[in-house]
Amino acid sequence: MTKMQHTAQGFSGTQTMQADCVALARQARAHATAFRSSVQAFDNINISGIFGELRAMRQAVAHTA
């Protein structure tokens, strides 16, 4: 909500700043949570397993060629 919207609803300047800070804090927390989830998902990727599967596929193709 913008300062103009806050003022139109009867909020003072201080209340507007507090509301903006609360909104920004909530957004920051949501972004941090999403980032943490992304990092955990990345950590769960089994790179060794992926490369092992790729090696097996390449060997299978080499043997059929």
Side-chain angles (χ1 to χ4, degrees), residues 13-59:
T14 302
Q15 289 171 318
T16 300
M17 288 188 293
Q18 289 172 345
D20 290 342
C21 286
V22 169
L24 287 172
R26 286 184 179 145
Q27 279 185 334
R29 183 180 180 131
H31 286 292
T33 300
F35 178 75
R36 192 176 309 116
S37 295
S38 296
V39 169
Q40 288 172 345
F42 184 78
D43 285 344
N44 289 335
I45 295 173
N46 180 358
I47 297 296
S48 297
I50 292 171
F51 282 121
E53 291 293 324
L54 289 172
R55 246 183 262 107
M57 290 169 64
R58 188 174 27 198
Q59 289 172 354

